[in-house]
Amino acid sequence: MKAVVLEKRGAEGASWRDFPDPIPGPGESVLRVVASSLNRVDLYMRDSGVGITHTLPQVMGVEAAGEIVEAAPGSGLKPGMKAVLYSEAFCGRCRYCLAGDQPLCESVQIMGEHRHGGFAEYIAMPSACFFPLPGDADLKAAGALMTAYLTSWRMLFGKKALRPGESILVVGIGGGVAVACLQLAKLVGARVFVTSSSNEKIRRAVEMGAEGGVNYASGRVSPAILEMTGGAGVDMVIDSVGEASWGESLRSLRRGGRLVTCGATTGGNPPADIQRLFIRQLEIYGSTGGSIGEFRDLLTVYNKGLLPPVIDSTFAMQDIRAAFDRLAAGAQFGKILLTT
Ligand SMILES: [Zn+2]
């Protein structure tokens, strides 16, 4: 088969080339991939990969949608079914799996990180990771669903769920997770505010239902957010930017508000501002991925047509380098889709 194979670190390290077809292990099934999409973690894998146990060469890509071509006996799957993959091969036996919290699995193997991924014509995964889609499902859109939308689902609804009428600040609108958070927050009737360094991205967010935005390149975020919320601040902040935005994110929260983080693209060690934490009784928690149960809920909403992934651009997998350039430039609004 053909696949995007990472052979060495850096921009020249990944290319579309011949690679052995996947051989399914016991209980595994095989998907013919139609679409996948790029995520920040792919850039991290390409350029560093530190802290993620894996060996090169490796097939990249942490998500995939397509058609089942080989179904494990007893799995209930059938060749010809459309399906989207849950990207984390989980053990099903550890305390976290038994509690239904698969993203915390003690021996989790994420496709495109710890095992071969979805930027390929074929991929084998445990059958429990295959989620059949309706016969008329749009497989290209489904290729952009798993990572950004499930991550966002868990951030918004996983611990202290965002409720109708609450307000949320999404830092750095434009990336796949941020745009998904905007869509999901609107879906439950929350008030949404965004930040960006681009007025054009703020304009697009407002078009999608955001109540207001702050251009952080031209002024501080928190005074503007306080003004837009009648002096109170927001109930929830979604911050994947890290060091550069952290202080202003904390200052934008109302008393008792909560900050959820799923990334630190500008660095991971901002000042903790502990006095603000306890005096205003703020909560901070981390989130990554989502559980099987959350993925089911997400797919129910998606299959009703209520959550169309926002696609920024589409590239053939053989043009992986151009797709990476688009992601690295940070100019996108929504997902960068890859097709076989
Ligand atoms: Zn487990």
Side-chain angles (χ1 to χ4, degrees):
M1 68 167 181
K2 294 275 191 191
V4 173
V5 181
L6 181 65
E7 287 169 282
K8 58 181 171 45
R9 301 296 166 197
E12 308 291 302
S15 61
W16 179 250
R17 68 157 171 87
D18 289 319
F19 198 77
D21 285 350
I23 300 167
E28 291 187 348
S29 298
V30 180
L31 188 80
R32 182 179 65 78
V33 179
V34 169
S36 181
S37 80
L38 267 186
N39 292 281
R40 294 292 316 181
V41 68
D42 297 314
L43 262 184
Y44 182 76
M45 289 301 290
R46 188 193 73 173
D47 296 339
S48 162
V50 171
I52 297 174
T53 307
H54 66 288
T55 50
L56 301 185
Q58 175 167 286
V59 178
M60 302 191 77
V62 296
E63 56 192 326
E67 198 178 289
I68 296 170
V69 289
E70 250 185 274
S75 63
L77 304 172
K78 287 194 181 70
M81 277 180 171
K82 289 180 173 180
V84 59
L85 292 181
Y86 177 75
S87 61
E88 307 183 16
F90 53 95
C91 78
R93 293 180 303 274
C94 73
R95 60 182 288 190
Y96 301 108
C97 284
L98 291 174
D101 218 354
Q102 292 84 9
L104 294 177
C105 174
E106 288 166 356
S107 49
V108 70
Q109 298 263 306
I110 301 175
M111 56 190 260
E113 294 185 38
H114 312 96
R115 55 182 289 152
H116 292 314
F119 298 167
E121 289 177 313
Y122 297 97
I123 178 172
M125 282 288 278
S127 300
C129 295
F130 284 67
F131 283 75
L133 294 169
D136 61 353
D138 173 357
L139 287 176
K140 286 189 179 168
L145 194 63
M146 160 72 208
T147 303
Y149 284 81
L150 183 59
T151 300
S152 303
W153 187 283
R154 188 176 180 85
M155 290 179 88
L156 264 57
F157 311 130
K159 284 197 175 145
K160 291 187 88 176
L162 184 69
R163 294 187 302 273
E166 281 197 315
S167 53
I168 181 172
L169 172 63
V170 181
V171 175
I173 196 69
V177 167
V179 173
C181 284
L182 164 59
Q183 287 177 277
L184 286 170
K186 286 305 298 173
L187 211 54
V188 297
R191 300 172 64 196
V192 185
F193 303 92
V194 301
T195 73
S196 176
S197 60
S198 152
N199 288 335
E200 169 59 17
K201 288 187 183 182
I202 292 173
R203 189 191 63 75
R204 289 191 63 177
V206 168
E207 233 171 59
M208 288 175 63
E211 197 171 312
V214 187
N215 187 326
Y216 59 77
S218 50
R220 279 181 59 206
V221 170
S222 59
I225 291 298
L226 291 181
E227 197 186 319
M228 287 190 273
T229 53
V234 293
D235 296 286
M236 182 185 262
V237 174
I238 298 291
D239 189 327
S240 63
V241 175
E243 249 173 69
S245 56
W246 194 256
E248 284 301 293
S249 290
L250 287 179
R251 283 186 279 275
S252 298
L253 281 173
R254 70 158 170 83
R255 290 159 184 267
R258 52 213 194 270
L259 185 155
V260 192
T261 172
C262 75
T265 47
T266 59
N269 292 294
D273 203 354
I274 292 172
Q275 283 94 342
R276 176 173 297 273
L277 281 184
F278 69 76
I279 290 169
R280 295 180 67 88
Q281 303 192 43
L282 306 178
E283 287 179 73
I284 298 176
Y285 51 90
S287 191
T288 183
S291 70
I292 286 282
E294 286 162 337
F295 195 40
R296 260 197 207 106
D297 291 345
L298 165 64
L299 285 176
T300 302
V301 174
Y302 171 74
N303 285 333
K304 288 194 159 105
L306 295 170
L307 198 60
V310 175
I311 307 296
D312 168 78
S313 48
T314 303
F315 293 85
M317 285 187 191
Q318 59 189 4
D319 299 324
I320 185 67
R321 285 183 192 171
F324 265 128
D325 288 346
R326 174 87 189 150
L327 179 66
Q332 81 276 19
F333 192 96
K335 298 293 298 174
I336 298 170
L337 196 70
L338 293 169
T339 57
T340 50

